[in-house]
Every structure is written in structure tokens, then in C-alpha cells.
Amino acid sequence: MTQEHGRGERPPFSYPVRVGHISANAVSVHVEAAPRELTGLAKLWNVLDVKSLKADLQIARWKKDGVRIKGRVEAAIEQACVVTLEPVFSQIDETFEQVFVPEGSKLARLVLSDTAEMVLDPEGPDLPETFTGDTIDAGEVVAEVVALAIDPYPRKASVEFSAHIESDGSTDERKPSPFAVLKDWKKQD
């Protein structure tokens, strides 16, 4: 879940939550990225610009030691079109739910079948993430949700990539084979 940021470097968007202060009753939290954070996120996500990022979260205790964060994330980003390199604006609106358990918790272990195969339900909930210490960074969770929702191949509306023409094989006959120089190699001995 956590992204690598270098030694001692904070993530571009951070909202630390102390696990010891979380109760069974969900607490509602609204987080919104400041201009400096938006610039850092644009660099992290390799996009032209991040116009806005905000999230409404519910944070509550899960089972005995775990924490559940769920909510809705909205972001406006600007990317370069993969065809024309012109700016493309995207709106991201995602809901998510993530459970965190302390490192070493038995709740974090994978469920294995009788044949020792990992059992994953694609429609079921994600496996719990683990955390170390007494803090979970809800800002990093929000940033990860957006990062996963970004279109890897943004394209402006009505733009087609028509300059690419697949070979039909007819032109290949005229080109000499790169192996043609080897055709008489064995005959020389």
C-alpha cells in the first residue's frame, strides 16, 4: 500500500491517523489537497497537472486491533493525450474500502485451501493491509485510490490514431532477409 518516497521523505499528500485514537464509532473526515500537495501528486503520478483532490472518509476500529477506512475520492487531473500530446482533462470519482491490521496479526494471513492454494474472491473484499507502529496515513490511501483510477492511455475525444498502418506482408517480399547473408555459409566449407 505504501509507496516508496526515499529515506525520511514524506509522501506528497499525507493525513496521518493515530490508531490509538480510533473508536468503534466511525469518525467522518474531509481531506483536501493544498496547492503544494497537488504539485507533488502530479509529479508522483506523472501527469501534467492535478487540479483538485478531495475525499470524504469514515474511519473506524475493525475487529480488535484493525482499522477500516472507507469513503469517496474525487479528483480532477490533466494528462497528455497519447496521440496528440494535447491536454486531456479527467474527473475521477471512486469509492473504496480498505482494512488495516497490525503487522504480524493473524487477521493479515492469507486464506489457504486444503491443497495450500491461495483463495481469493475477485468480487470479495481486498485482503487487509498491514501497518507498523501506531499511525496509518489516510492521505496515502486516498492518493493510491486515485493513482489506480488514472487512465494510462488518455485520448482526446474524437482523436484517432490513424497514422499507424499494419503491414499486410506485401512489402516484406521486397526486403532482403537479414539471414540471406548466411544462406551460403555452410557451402563454403
Side-chain angles (χ1 to χ4, degrees):
M1 190 279 323
T2 59
Q3 301 169 3
E4 297 298 320
H5 298 287
R7 195 163 260 169
E9 189 178 326
R10 286 185 43 166
F13 184 60
S14 182
Y15 185 83
V17 175
R18 304 275 323 238
V19 175
H21 297 160
I22 299 171
S23 69
N25 298 328
V27 174
S28 295
V29 177
H30 177 80
V31 294
E32 199 161 334
R36 178 186 53 78
E37 294 168 322
L38 295 173
T39 302
L41 289 168
K43 183 179 175 185
L44 176 68
W45 296 333
N46 198 26
V47 298
L48 298 176
D49 194 15
V50 179
K51 303 290 186 188
S52 67
L53 171 66
K54 60 183 178 179
D56 290 305
L57 310 173
Q58 291 80 44
I59 304 171
R61 177 79 53 198
W62 184 76
K63 303 220 176 190
K64 184 180 177 188
D65 299 325
V67 174
R68 172 181 284 145
I69 301 175
K70 62 181 179 176
R72 179 178 179 189
V73 179
E74 296 176 78
I77 63 170
E78 182 180 35
Q79 297 174 266
C81 173
V82 294
V83 179
T84 66
L85 298 180
E86 295 177 45
V88 177
F89 295 95
S90 302
Q91 287 292 130
I92 295 173
D93 189 347
E94 296 283 323
T95 58
F96 74 96
E97 181 173 341
Q98 184 63 57
V99 172
F100 295 87
V101 294
E103 192 173 60
S105 170
K106 65 182 178 184
L107 297 172
R109 295 191 186 121
L110 295 175
V111 178
L112 300 176
S113 68
D114 297 337
T115 59
E117 292 180 359
M118 189 182 333
V119 178
L120 293 176
D121 179 5
E123 300 300 319
D126 291 338
L127 292 174
E129 293 280 347
T130 58
F131 66 90
T132 307
D134 66 345
T135 305
I136 297 171
D137 194 337
E140 268 194 286
V141 175
V142 167
E144 185 176 280
V145 169
V146 175
L148 292 171
I150 293 174
D151 183 356
Y153 304 105
R155 191 169 61 199
K156 282 188 82 108
S158 75
V159 171
E160 294 295 323
F161 190 58
S162 59
H164 179 72
I165 301 172
E166 291 290 330
S167 172
D168 61 359
S170 64
T171 59
D172 293 342
E173 294 172 10
R174 289 180 259 157
K175 295 179 189 174
S177 167
F179 300 104
V181 296
L182 300 174
K183 72 178 180 177
D184 295 327
W185 178 67
K186 275 219 166 212
K187 294 178 187 175
Q188 291 177 356
D189 288 339

